[in-house]
Amino acid sequence: MTKAELIVNVAEKAGLDRKKAEKAVGAFVDTVIQALVEGDKVQIIGFGTFENRERSARTGRNPRTGEKIEIPASKLPSFKAGKALKEAVNY
């Protein structure tokens, strides 16, 4: 499902026009992104949790030259599905 399809489905299920549904979906995405940037996690009971995960620094290898390179530590956004979502998918 694309973002456009999501907006159409939200509009239908919530009884909103497409413009309002687009604003709602956009506001949700922006809010989750802002929370993750600030280091917070977003937990939606029954759906799941968005949070940052730490990736430690490590030594990698350039596949072209075989030369060792240092890969710096980084943060990655992640999503962990909640119980209700897992059960719905595994009906």
Side-chain angles (χ1 to χ4, degrees), residues 15-89:
L16 300 171
D17 62 56
R18 191 176 179 283
K19 287 284 186 189
K20 288 181 182 175
E22 186 173 357
K23 283 184 179 181
V25 170
F28 173 76
V29 170
D30 291 344
T31 302
V32 170
I33 290 171
Q34 186 61 38
L36 293 175
V37 166
E38 293 173 0
D40 296 331
K41 71 178 183 178
V42 178
Q43 185 175 7
I44 303 170
I45 303 298
F47 182 69
T49 303
F50 296 91
E51 62 186 344
N52 287 325
R53 297 253 167 105
E54 298 286 330
R55 192 175 218 184
S56 59
R58 61 198 186 282
T59 302
R61 188 174 296 274
N62 182 331
R64 242 183 221 175
T65 64
E67 173 186 357
K68 288 186 179 183
I69 57 172
E70 288 299 315
I71 301 170
S74 62
K75 293 180 185 176
L76 298 172
S78 68
F79 176 77
K80 181 179 178 188
K83 182 179 177 184
L85 178 58
K86 289 178 189 176
E87 289 174 354
V89 171

